[in-house]
Amino acid sequence: MGSIFKRPKMPPLPPPPPAPEPPSDEISPEEKERIAKEQARVRRNRKGKRSTILTGPMGIQESEEEQLESLLGKK
């Protein structure tokens, strides 16, 4: 009856796999060019979106003349 309540022994763990090689610190010229293009694209897109925002920290930044415009022209 003692063998019913005994826990089975765990098998030994396998050895850990070898560590991967660390990445090189050198960046190829092609990789540098690709990174520069990506950063330029991000800057260009950010600048384009900013010009469409009509509000600032003080609220809407339209003059009174611009507010008077309607679909039919100036009032």
Side-chain angles (χ1 to χ4, degrees):
M1 189 141 166
S3 65
I4 295 175
F5 298 108
K6 270 188 163 179
R7 290 187 173 173
K9 290 187 177 183
M10 293 290 295
L13 294 175
E21 285 187 27
S24 66
D25 294 337
E26 296 289 322
I27 297 178
S28 66
E30 295 85 19
E31 186 71 16
K32 286 180 182 180
E33 184 179 338
R34 187 189 63 77
I35 292 171
K37 284 181 181 180
E38 180 69 20
Q39 289 175 346
R41 185 186 63 80
V42 168
R43 272 188 253 117
R44 195 171 45 247
N45 287 344
R46 187 179 304 147
K47 183 179 178 185
K49 291 176 187 174
R50 187 174 292 166
S51 66
T52 63
I53 298 174
L54 298 176
T55 59
M58 301 299 289
I60 298 177
Q61 297 179 351
E62 293 180 333
S63 65
E64 287 186 30
E65 294 174 7
E66 291 174 350
Q67 291 176 355
L68 296 177
E69 290 184 21
S70 68
L71 293 175
L72 300 175
K74 291 187 178 183
K75 289 185 177 180

